[in-house]
Amino acid sequence: MTQQITMTINGQAAITSDTMDVINPATAESFAQAPRASEADLNAAVDAAKAAYPAWKVLSHTQRAELMVKAGDAILANADELTELFTAEQGRPLKIAKDEILGAGMWFKGMARFELPVEVVEETKYRTVEVHREPLGVVCAIVPWNFPVLLASWKMSHALLAGNTMVVKPSPYTPLATLRIGEILRDILPPGVLNIISGGDELGPLMTTHPGFAKISFTGSTATGKRIMASAAQDLKRITLELGGNDACIVMPDVDVDEVAQQVFMGAFFNTAQVCIATKRLYIHDSIYDAMRDKLHGLAKTLKVGNGADSDNLFGPLQNKPQYERVKALMAEARERGLTLLEGGAVPDKGYFLPLTLVDNPADSERVVVEEAFGPILPLLRYSDLDEVIARANDSEYGLAGAVWSKDIEKAVEVAKRLETGTVWINQNLQTTPNTPIGGHKHSGIGVENGRDGLMEFTQPKSIFIPKPKSAV
Ligand code: NAD
C-alpha cells in the first residue's frame, strides 16, 4: 500500500519517525506501515485534547449532536474505501466487512439522538434540586482488533457527544481504518477534540498511567482489563471495561433444527468466532442433539473459509499470529485429550487460517468449555433438564451475553431472566444497537456502553440545590 495513513493530533497529520508493519492475516505478509507513537506524541495528543476541552464542553448538546451526525455521514460516504482497508488488516471478508463501517457511521448518528437533560429531582416551596450532567475531561479510549472500527465508534460517539475530548488508540494489529477515520473527521471536528494515535504494546500502559486522562474506556481481554483497573486506581480515573465472555446458548427441544441450525452456527462462528458476544458454549437438548450436531457439522464442512478479498468466502483468518497460535494449541490439546473434534472443510495453508471446528460433548471441566477460545472451536454440550442447564450456563467466571432458542417465547423469556449476563437474545444472535446498553456481569466487565446508560458513563452528575425566595415560602 503506497498511501501513508497518519495519526491525528490537534486536527493535523502527525508523522512519526518510527513505524510498524501491518500484517494482512490472510497472507501473513506486511502490506502497510502504521505510525508508532512515541511518549512525546502521546503527550502532544493529551495536550491538544486538554486545550480543546473548554470550548468543546461549552458547545450546546445540540451543536455537538449535529457534529456527530456530520461525522457519521462522513464515515458512511467513505465506506467503500474504509471497507477495503478494513478487510486487508482485519481479515473479515469484504461482503460482510462493510457492515462494520456502515455500523460505525450509523452509531454516530444513533447516539446523537440521546439527550442529557437537566433532571429536577425535588421541587418544593423551599427549593428546587436539579441534577446536571457534566463531561469528565479528556478520555482515553483503547480498542481491540476484532471489531476495531465499530468499537472505536462506540467510544467516540459517546465521549464526544457528552462534551469530553479524547485520545483513541486502536490495536497495533488493526490501526489503519481507525486512523483513516481520524483523517476523514479532521474537516468536521474542531482541532484537538478527537486525537487518534497508534503504537505498539508499550503505548497502552503509557496511556493508562498518564495523569492527563480523566477516564479510560477500554474494550479487550479480561487480563488486560484487570491491569487497566489497577493502573487507573493510582489517580482514581473513571473506567468502563468491556471484557471477555464465554457465552452460553441454550437450544430447547421444541426448535425446528433445520430452520435454526444456520443461525445458531453464525452466532458462534461469525468473524471466525472472534466476537466477545459470540456463542462459546452451545447447550443442545438431548432429544435433538444428534440431529443438530450433524447439521452444524454439515455447515462447517460446506461454508467457505478463505481470503476475505475473495467474495466467495464467508469466514476469514484468525486476525493475528498470537491468536492463531493460541487457538491452534487449544485444538491440538483437545485432540490429545481424546475429545471428538468435528472439523470443517479445508482452509488455505498460507495465512492464519484454521478450520471451523466443533467438539462433540466434552466434559464441562475441559479447557475448551471453561475458557474463552476466541476462535473457531465450539463445544457442543448435551443437556436434559432446564434447571440443570441454566446452572451450567451460569457456572462461569464470565457473564457477558447469552442466547435461548425455542418456539415457546414465554418459556424462553423465563430462561433469559435466569441467565447471569448483561444481554440475552431469544431466537436471534449478536444484536447490538445504539439504544441498548451492553455490558457484562462478573469478569466480563464494569459499566456499559450504548443507550442513555452508556452515555451517562462519560459524565459526572452535579446536584444543584436552589433555594426559593423567602417571600415564596
Ligand atoms: P487485548 O486486551 O490484548 O488488547 C486490547 C487493547 O488493549 C489493544 O489496543 C492493546 O494494544 C491494548 N493493551 C494491551 N495491553 C495493555 C495494557 N497493559 N495497558 C493498556 N492497554 C493495553 O485484547 P484483544 O486480544 O485485542 O481483544 C480480544 C479480547 O477482547 C477478547 O477477550 C474479547 O472477548 C474482548 N472483547 C470484549 C468486548 C466487549 O464489548 N465486552 C468486545 C470486543 C472484544
Side-chain angles (χ1 to χ4, degrees), residues 243-310:
L243 309 178
N246 194 9
D247 296 1
C249 169
I250 298 173
V251 185
M252 313 250 265
D254 63 352
V255 302
D256 180 332
V257 171
D258 287 342
E259 208 178 287
V260 307
Q262 181 143 0
Q263 295 174 73
V264 169
F265 189 89
M266 290 309 290
F269 287 104
F270 179 74
N271 200 33
T272 315
Q274 303 164 111
V275 186
C276 55
I277 49 176
T279 293
K280 292 171 187 146
R281 295 174 288 152
L282 180 55
Y283 294 95
I284 307 167
H285 191 267
D286 194 40
S287 61
I288 54 165
Y289 182 91
D290 290 352
M292 183 65 117
R293 176 198 57 207
D294 294 348
K295 192 87 192 164
L296 295 172
H297 191 201
L299 290 166
K301 285 193 284 196
T302 50
L303 295 175
K304 288 210 168 153
V305 181
N307 191 324
D310 173 349

Coordinates of all heavy atoms in Angstrom, one line a residue, residues 243-310:
L243 N -15.1 -6.5 28.6 CA -14.1 -7.5 28.6 C -14.6 -8.8 27.9 O -15.5 -8.8 27.1 CB -13.6 -7.7 30.0 CG -13.2 -6.4 30.8 CD1 -12.8 -6.7 32.2 CD2 -12.1 -5.7 30.0
G244 N -14.0 -9.9 28.3 CA -14.2 -11.2 27.6 C -15.6 -11.8 28.0 O -16.3 -11.3 28.8
G245 N -15.9 -12.9 27.3 CA -17.1 -13.6 27.5 C -17.0 -15.0 27.2 O -16.0 -15.4 26.5
N246 N -17.8 -15.8 27.8 CA -17.9 -17.3 27.4 C -19.4 -17.6 27.3 O -19.9 -18.4 28.1 CB -17.1 -18.1 28.5 CG -16.9 -19.5 28.0 OD1 -17.1 -19.8 26.8 ND2 -16.4 -20.4 28.8
D247 N -20.0 -17.0 26.3 CA -21.5 -17.0 26.3 C -22.1 -18.4 26.0 O -21.6 -19.1 25.1 CB -21.9 -16.0 25.2 CG -21.5 -14.6 25.5 OD1 -20.9 -14.4 26.5 OD2 -21.9 -13.7 24.7
A248 N -23.1 -18.7 26.8 CA -23.9 -19.9 26.6 C -25.1 -19.6 25.7 O -25.7 -18.6 25.7 CB -24.4 -20.4 27.9
C249 N -25.3 -20.6 24.8 CA -26.6 -20.6 24.0 C -27.3 -21.9 24.3 O -26.7 -23.0 24.3 CB -26.2 -20.5 22.5 SG -27.6 -20.8 21.4
I250 N -28.6 -21.7 24.7 CA -29.4 -22.9 25.1 C -30.4 -23.2 24.0 O -31.3 -22.3 23.7 CB -30.1 -22.7 26.4 CG1 -29.0 -22.5 27.5 CG2 -31.0 -23.8 26.8 CD1 -29.6 -22.0 28.9
V251 N -30.3 -24.4 23.4 CA -31.3 -24.7 22.4 C -32.3 -25.7 23.0 O -31.9 -26.8 23.4 CB -30.6 -25.3 21.1 CG1 -31.6 -25.6 20.0 CG2 -29.5 -24.4 20.6
M252 N -33.6 -25.3 23.0 CA -34.6 -26.1 23.7 C -35.1 -27.2 22.7 O -35.0 -27.0 21.5 CB -35.8 -25.2 24.1 CG -35.3 -23.9 24.9 SD -35.6 -23.9 26.6 CE -37.1 -22.9 26.6
P253 N -35.8 -28.2 23.3 CA -36.2 -29.3 22.4 C -37.2 -29.0 21.4 O -37.3 -29.8 20.4 CB -36.7 -30.4 23.4 CG -37.0 -29.6 24.7 CD -36.1 -28.4 24.7
D254 N -38.0 -27.9 21.5 CA -39.1 -27.7 20.5 C -38.6 -27.0 19.2 O -39.5 -26.7 18.4 CB -40.2 -26.9 21.2 CG -39.7 -25.5 21.6 OD1 -38.5 -25.2 21.5 OD2 -40.6 -24.7 22.0
V255 N -37.3 -26.7 19.1 CA -37.0 -25.9 17.8 C -37.0 -26.8 16.6 O -36.9 -28.0 16.7 CB -35.6 -25.3 17.9 CG1 -35.4 -24.4 19.1 CG2 -34.5 -26.4 18.0
D256 N -37.1 -26.2 15.5 CA -37.0 -26.9 14.2 C -35.5 -26.8 13.8 O -35.0 -25.8 13.5 CB -37.9 -26.1 13.1 CG -37.8 -26.8 11.8 OD1 -36.7 -27.4 11.5 OD2 -38.8 -26.7 11.0
V257 N -34.9 -28.0 13.9 CA -33.4 -28.0 13.8 C -33.0 -27.4 12.4 O -32.0 -26.6 12.3 CB -32.9 -29.4 14.0 CG1 -31.4 -29.6 13.6 CG2 -33.1 -29.9 15.4
D258 N -33.6 -27.9 11.4 CA -33.2 -27.4 10.0 C -33.3 -25.9 9.9 O -32.6 -25.2 9.2 CB -34.1 -28.0 9.0 CG -33.8 -29.5 8.8 OD1 -32.7 -29.9 9.2 OD2 -34.6 -30.2 8.3
E259 N -34.4 -25.3 10.6 CA -34.6 -23.9 10.4 C -33.6 -23.1 11.2 O -33.2 -22.0 10.8 CB -36.0 -23.6 11.0 CG -36.7 -22.4 10.4 CD -38.1 -22.3 11.0 OE1 -39.0 -23.1 10.6 OE2 -38.3 -21.4 11.8
V260 N -33.2 -23.5 12.4 CA -32.4 -22.7 13.3 C -30.9 -22.9 13.2 O -30.1 -22.1 13.6 CB -32.8 -22.7 14.7 CG1 -34.3 -22.4 14.9 CG2 -32.5 -24.0 15.4
A261 N -30.5 -24.1 12.6 CA -29.1 -24.5 12.7 C -28.1 -23.4 12.2 O -27.1 -23.1 12.8 CB -28.9 -25.8 12.0
Q262 N -28.5 -22.9 11.0 CA -27.5 -21.9 10.4 C -27.4 -20.7 11.2 O -26.3 -20.1 11.4 CB -28.0 -21.6 9.0 CG -27.0 -20.6 8.3 CD -26.8 -20.8 6.8 OE1 -27.3 -21.7 6.3 NE2 -25.9 -20.0 6.2
Q263 N -28.5 -20.2 11.8 CA -28.4 -19.0 12.6 C -27.6 -19.3 13.9 O -26.8 -18.4 14.3 CB -29.8 -18.6 13.0 CG -30.7 -18.1 11.8 CD -32.1 -17.8 12.2 OE1 -32.3 -16.8 12.8 NE2 -33.0 -18.7 11.9
V264 N -27.9 -20.4 14.5 CA -27.1 -20.8 15.7 C -25.6 -20.9 15.3 O -24.7 -20.4 16.1 CB -27.6 -22.1 16.3 CG1 -26.6 -22.6 17.4 CG2 -29.0 -21.9 16.8
F265 N -25.3 -21.4 14.2 CA -23.9 -21.6 13.7 C -23.3 -20.2 13.5 O -22.2 -20.0 14.0 CB -23.9 -22.3 12.3 CG -22.6 -22.7 11.9 CD1 -22.0 -23.9 12.2 CD2 -21.9 -21.9 11.0 CE1 -20.8 -24.3 11.8 CE2 -20.6 -22.2 10.6 CZ -20.0 -23.4 10.9
M266 N -24.0 -19.3 12.9 CA -23.4 -17.9 12.7 C -23.2 -17.2 14.0 O -22.3 -16.4 14.1 CB -24.3 -17.1 11.7 CG -24.3 -17.6 10.3 SD -22.7 -17.8 9.6 CE -22.1 -16.1 9.4
G267 N -24.1 -17.5 14.9 CA -24.0 -16.8 16.3 C -22.7 -17.2 17.0 O -22.2 -16.6 17.8
A268 N -22.1 -18.4 16.5 CA -20.9 -18.9 17.1 C -19.7 -18.5 16.3 O -18.6 -18.1 16.8 CB -20.9 -20.4 17.3
F269 N -19.8 -18.6 14.9 CA -18.6 -18.5 14.1 C -18.5 -17.2 13.3 O -17.4 -17.0 12.6 CB -18.6 -19.7 13.1 CG -18.3 -21.0 13.8 CD1 -19.3 -21.9 14.1 CD2 -17.0 -21.3 14.1 CE1 -19.0 -23.1 14.7 CE2 -16.7 -22.5 14.8 CZ -17.7 -23.4 15.0
F270 N -19.4 -16.3 13.4 CA -19.3 -15.0 12.7 C -17.9 -14.4 13.0 O -17.5 -14.4 14.2 CB -20.4 -14.1 13.0 CG -20.4 -12.7 12.4 CD1 -20.7 -12.6 11.0 CD2 -19.9 -11.6 13.1 CE1 -20.6 -11.4 10.4 CE2 -19.8 -10.4 12.4 CZ -20.1 -10.3 11.1
N271 N -17.3 -13.8 12.1 CA -16.0 -13.1 12.3 C -14.9 -14.2 12.8 O -14.1 -13.9 13.6 CB -16.1 -12.0 13.3 CG -14.9 -11.0 13.2 OD1 -14.3 -10.8 12.1 ND2 -14.5 -10.4 14.3
T272 N -15.1 -15.4 12.3 CA -14.2 -16.5 12.6 C -14.2 -16.7 14.2 O -13.2 -17.0 14.8 CB -12.8 -16.4 12.0 OG1 -13.1 -16.0 10.6 CG2 -12.0 -17.6 12.0
A273 N -15.4 -16.5 14.8 CA -15.6 -16.7 16.2 C -14.8 -15.8 17.1 O -14.7 -16.0 18.3 CB -15.3 -18.2 16.6
Q274 N -14.4 -14.7 16.5 CA -13.6 -13.7 17.3 C -14.6 -12.5 17.7 O -14.5 -11.4 17.2 CB -12.4 -13.2 16.5 CG -11.5 -14.3 16.1 CD -10.5 -13.9 15.0 OE1 -9.4 -13.7 15.2 NE2 -11.0 -13.6 13.8
V275 N -15.6 -12.9 18.5 CA -16.6 -11.9 18.9 C -16.8 -12.1 20.4 O -17.0 -13.2 20.8 CB -18.0 -12.2 18.1 CG1 -19.0 -11.1 18.5 CG2 -17.8 -12.3 16.6
C276 N -16.8 -11.0 21.1 CA -16.9 -11.1 22.6 C -18.2 -11.7 22.9 O -18.4 -12.5 23.9 CB -16.7 -9.7 23.2 SG -17.8 -8.5 22.5
I277 N -19.3 -11.4 22.1 CA -20.7 -11.8 22.5 C -21.1 -13.0 21.6 O -22.3 -13.3 21.4 CB -21.7 -10.7 22.3 CG1 -21.5 -10.0 20.9 CG2 -21.6 -9.7 23.4 CD1 -22.5 -8.9 20.6
A278 N -20.1 -13.8 21.1 CA -20.4 -15.0 20.3 C -20.8 -16.1 21.2 O -20.4 -16.1 22.4 CB -19.2 -15.4 19.5
T279 N -21.6 -17.0 20.7 CA -21.9 -18.3 21.4 C -20.5 -19.0 21.6 O -19.9 -19.4 20.6 CB -22.9 -19.1 20.7 OG1 -24.1 -18.5 20.7 CG2 -23.0 -20.5 21.3
K280 N -20.2 -19.4 22.8 CA -18.9 -20.1 23.0 C -19.1 -21.4 23.7 O -18.2 -22.2 23.8 CB -17.9 -19.2 23.8 CG -17.5 -18.1 22.9 CD -16.6 -17.0 23.6 CE -16.4 -15.8 22.7 NZ -16.4 -14.6 23.3
R281 N -20.4 -21.6 24.2 CA -20.8 -23.0 24.7 C -22.2 -23.2 24.2 O -23.1 -22.4 24.5 CB -20.8 -22.9 26.3 CG -19.4 -22.7 26.9 CD -19.5 -22.5 28.4 NE -20.1 -21.3 28.8 CZ -20.8 -21.0 29.9 NH1 -21.0 -22.0 30.8 NH2 -21.2 -19.8 30.2
L282 N -22.4 -24.2 23.5 CA -23.7 -24.5 22.8 C -24.4 -25.7 23.5 O -24.0 -26.8 23.3 CB -23.5 -24.7 21.3 CG -24.8 -24.9 20.5 CD1 -25.8 -23.8 20.7 CD2 -24.5 -25.1 19.0
Y283 N -25.4 -25.4 24.3 CA -26.1 -26.4 25.0 C -27.3 -26.9 24.2 O -28.2 -26.0 23.9 CB -26.6 -25.9 26.4 CG -25.4 -25.6 27.3 CD1 -24.9 -24.3 27.4 CD2 -24.8 -26.6 28.1 CE1 -23.8 -24.1 28.3 CE2 -23.7 -26.4 28.9 CZ -23.2 -25.1 29.0 OH -22.2 -24.8 29.8
I284 N -27.4 -28.1 23.8 CA -28.4 -28.6 23.0 C -29.2 -29.7 23.7 O -28.6 -30.6 24.3 CB -27.8 -29.2 21.7 CG1 -26.9 -28.2 21.0 CG2 -28.9 -29.7 20.7 CD1 -26.1 -28.8 19.9
H285 N -30.5 -29.7 23.7 CA -31.3 -30.7 24.4 C -31.0 -32.1 23.8 O -30.9 -32.2 22.6 CB -32.8 -30.4 24.3 CG -33.6 -31.2 25.2 ND1 -34.2 -32.4 24.9 CD2 -33.9 -31.1 26.6 CE1 -34.8 -32.9 25.9 NE2 -34.6 -32.1 27.0
D286 N -30.9 -33.0 24.7 CA -30.6 -34.4 24.4 C -31.5 -35.0 23.2 O -30.9 -35.6 22.3 CB -30.9 -35.2 25.6 CG -30.3 -36.6 25.5 OD1 -29.2 -36.7 25.0 OD2 -30.9 -37.6 25.9
S287 N -32.8 -34.6 23.2 CA -33.7 -35.2 22.2 C -33.4 -34.7 20.7 O -33.8 -35.3 19.8 CB -35.1 -34.8 22.5 OG -35.3 -33.4 22.5
I288 N -32.6 -33.6 20.6 CA -32.3 -33.1 19.2 C -30.8 -33.0 19.0 O -30.4 -32.5 18.0 CB -33.0 -31.7 19.0 CG1 -32.6 -30.7 20.1 CG2 -34.5 -31.8 18.8 CD1 -32.9 -29.3 19.7
Y289 N -30.1 -33.4 20.0 CA -28.6 -33.2 20.0 C -28.0 -33.8 18.7 O -27.2 -33.1 18.0 CB -27.9 -33.8 21.2 CG -26.4 -33.6 21.3 CD1 -25.9 -32.5 21.9 CD2 -25.6 -34.5 20.6 CE1 -24.5 -32.3 21.9 CE2 -24.2 -34.3 20.6 CZ -23.7 -33.2 21.3 OH -22.3 -32.9 21.3
D290 N -28.3 -35.1 18.4 CA -27.6 -35.7 17.3 C -27.9 -35.0 16.0 O -27.0 -34.7 15.1 CB -28.0 -37.2 17.2 CG -27.4 -38.0 18.3 OD1 -26.5 -37.4 19.1 OD2 -27.7 -39.2 18.5
A291 N -29.2 -34.7 15.8 CA -29.6 -34.0 14.6 C -29.0 -32.6 14.4 O -28.5 -32.3 13.3 CB -31.1 -33.9 14.5
M292 N -28.9 -31.9 15.5 CA -28.3 -30.6 15.5 C -26.8 -30.7 15.2 O -26.3 -29.9 14.4 CB -28.6 -29.8 16.8 CG -28.1 -28.4 16.9 SD -29.0 -27.3 15.7 CE -29.8 -26.2 16.8
R293 N -26.2 -31.6 15.9 CA -24.7 -31.7 15.7 C -24.4 -32.0 14.3 O -23.5 -31.4 13.7 CB -24.2 -32.9 16.6 CG -22.7 -33.2 16.4 CD -22.4 -34.6 17.0 NE -23.2 -35.6 16.3 CZ -23.6 -36.7 16.9 NH1 -23.2 -37.1 18.1 NH2 -24.3 -37.6 16.2
D294 N -25.2 -32.9 13.7 CA -24.9 -33.3 12.3 C -25.1 -32.2 11.3 O -24.4 -31.9 10.4 CB -25.7 -34.5 11.9 CG -25.3 -35.8 12.7 OD1 -24.3 -35.7 13.4 OD2 -26.1 -36.8 12.7
K295 N -26.2 -31.4 11.6 CA -26.5 -30.3 10.7 C -25.4 -29.2 10.9 O -24.9 -28.6 9.9 CB -27.8 -29.7 11.2 CG -28.4 -28.7 10.3 CD -29.3 -29.3 9.3 CE -29.6 -28.3 8.2 NZ -30.1 -28.9 7.0
L296 N -24.9 -28.9 12.1 CA -23.9 -27.9 12.3 C -22.6 -28.4 11.6 O -21.8 -27.6 11.0 CB -23.6 -27.7 13.8 CG -24.8 -27.1 14.6 CD1 -24.5 -27.1 16.1 CD2 -25.1 -25.6 14.1
H297 N -22.3 -29.7 11.8 CA -21.1 -30.2 11.1 C -21.1 -30.1 9.6 O -20.1 -29.7 9.0 CB -20.8 -31.7 11.6 CG -19.5 -32.2 11.2 ND1 -19.2 -33.5 11.1 CD2 -18.3 -31.5 10.9 CE1 -17.9 -33.6 10.7 NE2 -17.4 -32.5 10.6
G298 N -22.3 -30.3 9.1 CA -22.5 -30.1 7.6 C -22.2 -28.7 7.2 O -21.5 -28.5 6.2
L299 N -22.7 -27.7 8.0 CA -22.4 -26.3 7.7 C -20.9 -26.0 7.8 O -20.3 -25.3 6.9 CB -23.2 -25.4 8.7 CG -24.7 -25.4 8.5 CD1 -25.4 -24.8 9.7 CD2 -25.1 -24.7 7.2
A300 N -20.2 -26.6 8.8 CA -18.8 -26.4 9.0 C -18.0 -26.9 7.8 O -17.0 -26.3 7.4 CB -18.3 -27.0 10.3
K301 N -18.5 -28.0 7.2 CA -17.8 -28.6 6.1 C -18.1 -27.8 4.8 O -17.3 -27.8 3.9 CB -18.3 -30.0 5.9 CG -17.6 -30.9 7.0 CD -17.7 -32.4 6.7 CE -19.1 -32.9 7.0 NZ -19.3 -34.3 7.1
T302 N -19.2 -27.1 4.7 CA -19.6 -26.5 3.4 C -19.4 -25.0 3.3 O -19.1 -24.4 2.2 CB -21.0 -26.8 3.0 OG1 -21.8 -26.5 4.1 CG2 -21.2 -28.2 2.6
L303 N -19.5 -24.3 4.4 CA -19.4 -22.8 4.4 C -17.9 -22.5 4.2 O -17.0 -23.1 4.8 CB -19.9 -22.2 5.6 CG -21.4 -22.3 5.8 CD1 -21.9 -21.8 7.1 CD2 -22.2 -21.7 4.7
K304 N -17.6 -21.5 3.3 CA -16.2 -21.3 2.9 C -15.4 -20.4 3.8 O -15.8 -19.3 4.2 CB -16.3 -20.7 1.5 CG -16.7 -21.7 0.4 CD -16.1 -21.4 -0.9 CE -16.3 -22.5 -1.8 NZ -16.3 -22.1 -3.2
V305 N -14.2 -20.8 4.0 CA -13.2 -20.1 4.8 C -12.0 -19.7 3.8 O -11.6 -20.6 3.1 CB -12.6 -21.0 5.9 CG1 -11.6 -20.2 6.7 CG2 -13.7 -21.5 6.8
G306 N -11.6 -18.5 3.8 CA -10.5 -18.1 2.9 C -10.2 -16.6 3.0 O -10.8 -15.9 3.8
N307 N -9.4 -16.2 2.0 CA -9.0 -14.8 2.0 C -10.3 -13.9 1.8 O -11.1 -14.1 0.9 CB -8.1 -14.6 0.7 CG -7.5 -13.2 0.8 OD1 -8.1 -12.2 1.2 ND2 -6.2 -13.1 0.3
G308 N -10.4 -12.9 2.7 CA -11.6 -12.0 2.7 C -11.7 -11.2 1.4 O -12.8 -10.7 1.2
A309 N -10.6 -11.0 0.7 CA -10.7 -10.2 -0.5 C -11.5 -11.0 -1.6 O -11.9 -10.4 -2.6 CB -9.3 -9.9 -1.0
D310 N -11.6 -12.3 -1.4 CA -12.3 -13.2 -2.4 C -13.8 -13.3 -2.0 O -14.1 -13.7 -0.9 CB -11.6 -14.6 -2.4 CG -12.4 -15.6 -3.2 OD1 -13.5 -15.3 -3.7 OD2 -11.8 -16.7 -3.4

